Amino acid sequence: MRPKVLQLITEGKTKKVWETENPDLVILEFKDDITAFDGAKHDVISGKGAINAAISAKIFEHLNKNGIPTHFVEFVAPRYHVVRRLEMIPLEVVCRNIATGHLVKRLPMIKDGTRLEFPVLEFYLKDDKLHDPLINDHHVVLLKLASWKEIEEMKKITLRVNEVLRTFFEERGLILVDFKLEFGRDRNGKLLVGDELNGDAMRIWDMYTGKILDKDVYRKGYPLDEVLVRYREFYRRVVGADFPGEEVCLAT
Ligand code: C5P
């Protein structure tokens, strides 16, 4: 049953979080905003919120079906998710299958596009002012963000998500290059995967053409209408139908 929306709890760069009449549930609203470089680059693309909400819903449904603990409860089209209320941990857990992005910037001896021998996990502190620094397990415990046991649990869940999603995307002719998870604790202290899973939080390449279908096209400065084309293609591959919305881009 869909809970009634009460007031706004918080608004981020790409999502709003709404309180509901059920204290254990909140509603995520996916906005049309797109941002990069810690918010320094920002635009609005009409339809982007609905595309990302639908992609994220499909992916979370698949994770739930595979027994992975997530916050996702229900998709309310076009742009809302009913999710379990969590106390979010300010960490970004990144998992990489192919070297690109910050990994090759930091370690240039690894060639861009190299398939990694094993999935590489990293923790970043979620803090725009500090530009989300890379941190290790010791820092996570030192900063009291999570316990040693929770760190192991987050790593285990992230690797399982990677296995499940790699197959999910392979079946759709897509390569999961890397992705970012965020975790939170429910009222019993149980760790759940939260936030969103779509082209804003992962790199996805077409298996045959190598075409980028994620936010990297925006980061690389492609025109906004081309960014929308790529997001729509990602939608089509994940949802299995064309996105029905409008194609109007509004630069801010
Ligand atoms: O930029 P970097 O190579 O570290 O990104 C690794 C993965 O994490 C990419 O899929 C990227 O989209 C995701 N990410 C994210 N939010 C951030 C930083 C990275 O979703 N703030």
Side-chain angles (χ1 to χ4, degrees), residues 227-241:
V227 175
L228 183 59
V229 166
R230 305 292 179 103
Y231 273 63
R232 287 175 68 117
E233 176 61 13
F234 190 23
Y235 175 102
R236 196 178 66 75
R237 304 284 274 274
V238 169
V239 177

Side-chain angles (χ1 to χ4, degrees), residues 13 38 92-96 100-103 106 122 124 126 128 132 177-180 182 199-203 214-216 219:
K13 288 181 289 218
D38 304 318
E92 301 193 331
V93 185
V94 167
C95 177
R96 302 178 188 271
T100 192
H102 278 110
L103 181 68
R106 208 165 22 243
E122 297 169 343
Y124 292 85
K126 206 172 144 72
D128 274 351
D132 298 346
V177 175
D178 54 31
F179 63 94
K180 180 256 320 185
E182 293 187 26
D200 280 10
M202 56 181 65
R203 289 193 175 96
D214 60 78
K215 198 166 87 175
D216 258 359
R219 292 190 192 100

